[in-house]
Amino acid sequence: MLLTFCFSVAALAAPDLTSISASATQGRERLSLDRGWLFHLGDIVSPEVKGHGASYGYGKAGFAWGPAGTTYDDGDWRALSLPHDWAVEGPFDAQENLAQGYRPRGVGWYRRYLRIEAHERGRQFELQFDAIATHATVWVNGILVHRNWSGYNGSNINITPYLRYGDEMNTIAVRADAVPMEGWWYEGAGIYRHAWLVKRAPLHIVTDGLHATPRLSPQGQWSIPVAVTLKNGGKAATSAVVEVALRDPSGALVATRRSKVQVPVLAQEVVRLPLQIAKPALWSLQQPQLYQVSARVIQNGTAVDETSLHTGLREIRFDPEHGAFLNGQHVKLQGVSIHQDHAGVGVAVPDAIWAYRLRRLKELGANAIRFTHGAPAAEILDMADRMGFLVMDENRNFNISPDYMQQLEWLVRRDRHHPSVVLWSLFNEEPMQSTEAGYQMARTMAAAVKALDDTRPVTAAMNGGFFAPFNVGQALDVVGANYQVDAYDKFHLQFPKVPFTSSEDTSAFMTRGVYTTDQSTNVFASYDDDYASWGNSHRDAWEAIARRPFVAGGFVWTGFDYRGEPTPNQWPAVNSVFGIMDLNGFAKNAYYIHQVQWIKDQPLVHIAPHWNWAGREGQAIRVMVMSNAEKVALRLNGQPLGEQQVDPYRMNYFKVPYAAGKLEALAYRGGKLVAQTAVETTGAPVRIELVPDRAELRGDGRDAMPITVRALDAQGRAVPLADAEIRFSVQGAGQSLGHGNGDPTSHEDEKGPTRKLFHGLAQLIVQSLDNSAGELVVEASAAGLAPARLVLPVRAVTPLPSQPASAAPFNTVNYWRISPFSTTRPDPNQVLADFDMNTWEYGDPPMLRAAEAEKSGYRIYRASFTPRKKLADGSGVLHFLRVAGRAEVWLDGQLIGRKDDDAAAPLRVTLPAGAGARQLNVLIEGRQGQASGIEGVVRVEPALP
């Protein structure tokens, strides 16, 4: 069979581009697509395909059924903004997977409408999803355009060929299948990172096509061998000038280069323009200085595309004897491993909350982060660059099949310009790590990484197999070890020339605010005595690393608690207790243990536990003192209790008979008091306090802030045992995103109006509204406590460039059939055989015909549609935006409207009530020598008021 798509007299001719040449040369726009989505929780299964016509259409581009198609009625779907994680909204369920935090996941659908103006025809359009959990399928205008099989990598989809312009809306549909798991931790569900629409000129720089990774030559000279990858999406070979520029951290221009390039049609070309840097300003942990590299594509004296990135000049080296060196200076990796969920929001973590999390790690003294076990959001690496962290960038899937190699290569291309990234990690704890097949896979993956970036070493997080005849370590630049303290010395002895680091260590258990372990209630004391059988205490793990110069450093498991993997607990425990901090970023004792070990330039002292032990008067309380001084001493109510030399690895412990009052810890260096702290016995809680993380919010609809919630006694002291249920109200220029309290057994609704304090603390997360200014007002109340009111200024800012959200309370009638021309009036309701695919043509507006053979005559335009439920009750109209010629409109065999003149004009016809599929036939009579047909889009829409 021959399927004909010729539906206008000029259909085989190239479109006239003269009217769009200006738009086609517009510069790049990267527009947020976070707003305007519709969501349906649960899968939607389309009816079984039966019949010849339906089967034939089902296999054709643009004919997707159900919610993947253009005509689906999503009028009752939930409106929301991205990022979105539906799993965190669901209830806890003991029958669900403990690894995923006992949360149901399942399948969800997203749809969004997109209007592209006619004058933009000729530009190139790319749809970008930064991540979707977990398996994603994407349709544009009923055409399947993309599949992705990981929840950690981004998808960059060229949608230019599929777009419709002007009055006809574009439909984006995404099916997110979160049933498949990639990990044994909470992974969330849905489009949980940002979405974007990128518009570019026909000749443009591809996504991640600006390669600018600095290099230091053996002679000590710095350069950036810039490479720019261009693509020509136009209709003819074209030439251009590519210009690159380098600006130093102060913004001063320090180098430029230009080169001509010729790019064939639908092809790519790489332009290489190395830049030399005479007086480099180096990127370091203390001074994370960033250069800007920009690239422009110039045609006929006009810049048609431009992009830029920030990078840093720094040398990283891993020595087998002495560990890591940054810019020639020794540095011990004081690192943490972290997952990507946070209290109240799941994995849909706002950028501002990520900034808060990284700031907490900086205050901890951490200088390195391992993002486990998959690619982080790009915005987080930008923060790591600016804040001065060293990053182990970890690939999710250990697999060399094409899909997974593309994920690895995407990671390297996207992240290779970041100075914070100092290690590429191929995997975490793979059972094949000590097999020949595993070695061959690692070897192949390492080679792929090196082909894209050979300036950083490749590692992997191995938990064994180091001494097997075949093992992946033989393919690595730096061997990473998880929980192999007993093998540190053996490995170094056997492989003295192989750089080595702890890639994961510790796995200690600690519940914030708890000081007695009771596994029957799933809680662990905060004295650092409890840890996994394969792990170590925080103190032991760091001591093993710190005492061995050849161990480059370590990455504590974990920086924060995370949902799922509640090891060694089960229901009702729903999240881990490995964290140095809890799920909110509130410090546990582990925080202070590492802080005094990692921060050397300021004197510190911390004391635990709290000092509220009513009923235990005279009983010995185990007191833990953590300090980086030389000596610590205790006082209770002004009376000295003794002093100890500081143990920098083990910390210091005292037995103190309990008496209400004030317990003080004093730290000394050289006999001088350099730091002190205290815990006090508080009274009963009497009022609520709300403590914002910052002074104001930006009114861009994206800025978010954690607010600490606690209860104070009559003297204004925080009560460490307070457990009141707090009720929240958020009004004004913002909204609540959710809340948490760090209780690993809490089953409270993270999006609900209330949250209990857990050992005195809870956290509320608020976010500004779009284009807002004024005040965000938070009110908190609880039984028996004086309420609190917090007023946060919301500052007006320039909104993020966004593609407007296009509402679509209408159907667009698509998939038309067009009868042969007839000089005699045909029956407008004639039946076309289900198996006849060739007698009538296919087409969509504009379907404009010139009179054939200088004769007057007729054509029938036929389509079926199902009106939205809200328009099927007789309140809708069929709106023909433009019809040329005389017309009769027939619906389900009944004449419902007509047009009695030849001139092209709009036509509105009331839609009779009726549910289900409707059959629309339009008989158009064309006069001799005049054009006739359906010239504009046909919609089913609400009647005019």
Side-chain angles (χ1 to χ4, degrees):
M1 288 186 177
L2 175 63
L3 184 61
T4 304
F5 289 96
C6 175
F7 53 82
S8 77
V9 293
L12 297 182
D16 180 7
L17 300 183
T18 57
S19 64
I20 59 172
S21 59
S23 287
T25 57
Q26 284 181 10
R28 172 183 305 219
E29 294 179 89
R30 188 171 191 245
L31 305 174
S32 172
L33 277 185
D34 283 355
R35 305 294 183 253
W37 289 88
L38 300 173
F39 173 69
H40 179 275
L41 179 59
D43 205 1
I44 301 173
V45 180
S46 297
E48 185 178 356
V49 179
K50 291 184 177 179
H52 185 83
S55 299
Y56 186 84
Y58 187 77
K60 303 301 179 183
F63 281 76
W65 288 34
T70 60
T71 61
Y72 185 81
D73 185 358
D74 52 23
D76 58 355
W77 286 23
R78 170 187 168 193
L80 54 75
S81 297
L82 306 180
H84 175 235
D85 174 5
W86 81 70
V88 75
E89 301 170 352
F92 293 98
D93 185 344
Q95 304 307 310
E96 293 292 340
N97 189 345
L98 89 166
Q100 294 288 337
Y102 293 104
R103 297 276 196 161
R105 300 176 76 215
V107 175
W109 282 86
Y110 297 83
R111 285 167 61 89
R112 193 192 196 277
Y113 297 97
L114 199 64
R115 180 184 173 95
I116 304 297
E117 300 299 336
H119 67 78
E120 295 189 280
R121 186 180 277 110
R123 300 182 79 183
Q124 301 292 295
F125 296 82
E126 186 171 270
L127 177 61
Q128 298 180 348
F129 293 104
D130 288 350
I132 302 173
T134 298
H135 290 181
T137 310
V138 182
W139 292 263
V140 173
N141 292 332
I143 301 172
L144 197 160
V145 299
H146 185 71
R147 290 189 178 100
N148 186 64
W149 307 124
S150 176
Y152 296 90
N153 66 293
S155 299
N156 304 314
I157 311 163
N158 176 18
I159 62 172
T160 311
Y162 319 111
L163 290 180
R164 300 166 179 173
Y165 298 87
D167 294 318
E168 192 168 8
M169 205 67 71
N170 295 278
T171 304
I172 302 170
V174 179
R175 182 180 184 269
D177 183 356
V179 175
M181 296 186 304
E182 292 183 89
W184 48 98
W185 58 89
Y186 177 88
E187 297 182 285
I191 309 177
Y192 72 94
R193 291 183 186 164
H194 299 302
W196 309 88
L197 180 67
V198 179
K199 304 178 182 181
R200 292 178 281 216
L203 182 64
H204 59 271
I205 303 166
V206 303
T207 299
D208 299 326
L210 175 56
H211 183 192
T213 304
R215 306 182 75 95
L216 179 63
S217 72
Q219 294 74 35
Q221 300 298 312
W222 280 99
S223 66
I224 303 181
V226 179
V228 183
T229 302
L230 303 181
K231 182 178 180 180
N232 180 8
K235 292 181 175 292
T238 188
S239 60
V241 172
V242 177
E243 178 184 80
V244 296
L246 178 67
R247 295 184 180 276
D248 68 16
S250 71
L253 183 66
V254 295
T256 61
R257 286 197 70 171
R258 286 181 150 218
S259 179
K260 294 181 179 179
V261 63
Q262 183 85 11
V263 187
V265 176
L266 298 179
Q268 293 190 172
E269 291 290 336
V270 179
V271 181
R272 303 186 187 280
L273 297 162
L275 301 176
Q276 303 297 320
I277 304 167
K279 297 180 179 180
L282 298 184
W283 182 94
S284 67
L285 298 177
Q286 296 75 30
Q287 291 184 297
Q289 302 186 91
L290 296 173
Y291 283 75
Q292 183 190 59
V293 181
S294 60
R296 294 199 304 163
V297 181
I298 301 169
Q299 290 185 295
N300 301 319
T302 300
V304 297
D305 193 22
E306 183 172 4
T307 190
S308 65
L309 55 78
H310 286 91
T311 191
L313 312 182
R314 57 102 186 98
E315 180 198 17
I316 187 72
R317 178 169 59 89
F318 287 82
D319 183 88
E321 285 291 336
H322 304 290
F325 289 80
L326 181 65
N327 301 328
Q329 300 296 313
H330 182 262
V331 59
K332 202 79 166 179
L333 301 182
Q334 299 171 173
V336 297
S337 299
I338 59 174
H339 281 312
Q340 57 179 354
D341 61 315
H342 190 87
V345 295
V347 295
V349 182
D351 298 347
I353 300 302
W354 268 113
Y356 160 78
R357 287 163 67 88
L358 265 60
R359 192 170 69 250
R360 292 292 289 143
L361 293 175
K362 200 72 175 179
E363 293 163 355
L364 166 67
N367 62 19
I369 305 173
R370 174 180 173 230
F371 291 102
T372 51
H373 302 290
E379 293 84 358
I380 306 173
L381 292 181
D382 289 337
M383 295 175 199
D385 289 346
R386 295 192 301 268
M387 297 174 71
F389 284 102
L390 305 177
V391 168
M392 182 188 291
D393 207 351
E394 190 155 274
N395 175 58
R396 171 73 291 269
N397 293 294
F398 186 47
N399 194 316
I400 60 171
S401 65
D403 281 345
Y404 294 107
M405 287 297 285
Q406 288 174 14
Q407 292 172 17
L408 174 64
E409 291 167 355
W410 164 86
L411 172 73
V412 178
R413 283 193 184 95
R414 188 196 68 166
D415 295 349
R416 58 190 174 184
H417 68 276
H418 288 285
S420 58
V421 176
V422 297
L423 286 164
W424 301 115
S425 177
L426 299 182
F427 64 73
N428 174 72
E429 297 180 1
E430 288 291 337
M432 294 180 67
Q433 62 197 356
S434 57
T435 67
E436 183 174 1
Y439 161 72
Q440 293 293 353
M441 290 166 64
R443 177 171 167 261
T444 301
M445 294 171 75
V449 171
K450 295 291 187 183
L452 294 169
D453 175 49
D454 62 356
T455 68
R456 299 169 176 86
V458 174
T459 188
M462 300 174 64
N463 62 337
F466 306 98
F467 309 106
F470 284 102
N471 70 81
V472 298
Q474 296 159 355
L476 305 176
D477 301 311
V478 176
V479 169
N482 289 11
Y483 309 107
Q484 303 299 308
V485 172
D486 292 342
Y488 287 177
D489 295 329
K490 179 181 178 182
F491 181 89
H492 184 58
L493 183 64
Q494 190 163 333
F495 304 106
K497 295 184 179 181
V498 177
F500 180 87
T501 190
S502 168
S503 43
E504 184 176 316
D505 50 73
T506 310
S507 273
F509 309 137
M510 197 177 289
T511 307
R512 180 182 58 76
V514 172
Y515 291 92
T516 301
T517 296
D518 183 358
Q519 283 201 248
S520 69
T521 59
N522 296 311
V523 298
F524 293 90
S526 296
Y527 291 112
D528 196 31
D529 294 329
D530 300 293
Y531 48 89
S533 58
W534 61 84
N536 300 94
S537 69
H538 289 275
R539 295 162 298 156
D540 290 339
W542 181 248
E543 183 174 7
I545 293 166
R547 289 187 181 277
R548 291 171 170 84
F550 66 86
V551 180
F555 295 87
V556 176
W557 191 262
T558 50
F560 302 87
D561 284 346
Y562 55 94
R563 293 170 174 80
E565 199 175 20
T567 307
N569 301 321
Q570 295 186 13
W571 184 268
V574 294
N575 65 257
S576 78
V577 289
F578 295 117
I580 293 173
M581 290 172 274
D582 70 12
L583 201 57
N584 311 275
F586 294 146
K588 303 181 188 180
N589 273 5
Y591 187 95
Y592 304 118
I593 292 172
H594 287 290
Q595 192 179 56
V596 300
Q597 291 175 334
W598 290 350
I599 294 178
K600 305 300 182 184
D601 58 354
Q602 66 179 99
L604 298 168
V605 64
H606 302 287
I607 188 173
H610 57 77
W611 208 238
N612 281 30
W613 299 99
R616 294 188 59 179
E617 285 77 8
Q619 297 180 28
I621 303 297
R622 187 185 184 196
V623 175
M624 185 179 189
V625 181
M626 298 145 279
S627 180
N628 59 5
E630 297 170 355
K631 184 181 293 186
V632 291
L634 285 188
R635 283 195 312 225
L636 178 59
N637 296 326
Q639 299 301 310
L641 298 176
E643 61 183 33
Q644 296 179 12
Q645 291 295 124
V646 167
D647 188 327
Y649 297 116
R650 312 306 307 158
M651 305 298 109
N652 294 82
Y653 295 86
F654 297 79
K655 290 287 188 179
V656 179
Y658 176 66
K662 182 177 183 180
L663 180 66
E664 297 175 275
L666 301 95
Y668 297 89
R669 283 182 180 171
K672 294 183 179 180
L673 179 67
V674 293
Q676 63 186 94
T677 189
V679 289
E680 292 187 67
T681 308
T682 68
V686 298
R687 64 183 178 92
I688 302 168
E689 183 182 42
L690 299 173
V691 184
D693 180 59
R694 290 180 283 121
E696 65 176 14
L697 283 165
R698 299 183 305 277
D700 56 8
R702 293 165 64 101
D703 194 13
M705 181 189 301
I707 297 172
T708 298
V709 186
R710 58 188 184 180
L712 305 182
D713 70 4
Q715 297 183 45
R717 298 172 298 189
V719 181
L721 299 179
D723 60 357
E725 182 177 75
I726 311 295
R727 178 168 293 275
F728 299 110
S729 170
V730 180
Q731 299 177 342
Q735 62 183 340
S736 168
L737 286 185
H739 43 69
N741 62 10
D743 180 358
T745 63
S746 174
H747 296 174
E748 295 172 87
D749 179 2
E750 295 183 65
K751 304 292 185 178
T754 63
R755 170 65 65 167
K756 292 189 68 175
L757 299 179
F758 179 66
H759 293 284
L761 295 175
Q763 183 182 80
L764 174 70
I765 297 175
V766 296
Q767 186 174 54
S768 63
L769 298 177
D770 286 339
N771 303 317
S772 59
E775 294 179 340
L776 182 153
V777 180
V778 180
E779 294 179 336
S781 60
L785 301 180
R789 188 172 189 267
L790 174 66
V791 178
L792 284 171
V794 178
R795 175 170 49 88
V797 296
T798 302
L800 184 73
S802 301
Q803 180 71 20
S806 300
F810 54 80
N811 294 81
T812 300
V813 182
N814 299 116
Y815 312 132
W816 292 82
R817 299 292 299 274
I818 311 166
S819 75
F821 176 78
S822 173
T823 57
T824 60
R825 186 183 188 279
D827 176 5
N829 293 312
Q830 62 183 269
V831 177
L832 184 64
D834 186 55
F835 53 78
D836 184 352
M837 307 303 166
N838 296 281
T839 304
W840 289 32
E841 299 174 9
Y842 290 79
D844 274 329
M847 298 176 288
L848 193 64
R849 301 289 179 143
E852 300 181 38
E854 298 298 320
K855 297 179 181 179
S856 299
Y858 301 85
R859 282 186 183 272
I860 302 170
Y861 296 79
R862 176 183 179 182
S864 63
F865 66 92
T866 301
R868 290 171 173 257
K869 296 175 185 177
K870 295 179 180 178
L871 300 176
D873 61 356
S875 64
V877 297
L878 276 167
H879 182 192
F880 297 78
L881 270 63
R882 193 173 176 87
V883 178
R886 301 185 180 189
E888 297 177 6
V889 181
W890 295 76
L891 186 70
D892 299 332
Q894 302 297 315
L895 180 65
I896 64 170
R898 63 190 309 137
K899 176 175 176 286
D900 295 324
D901 55 72
D902 296 316
L907 175 62
R908 287 179 175 270
V909 181
T910 299
L911 177 68
R918 315 296 295 272
Q919 181 64 53
L920 175 64
N921 288 0
V922 183
L923 176 65
I924 296 183
E925 179 183 2
R927 296 294 185 179
Q928 179 178 344
Q930 295 181 357
S932 63
I934 299 177
E935 187 175 349
V937 172
V938 181
R939 294 175 176 167
V940 184
E941 61 188 26
L944 293 173

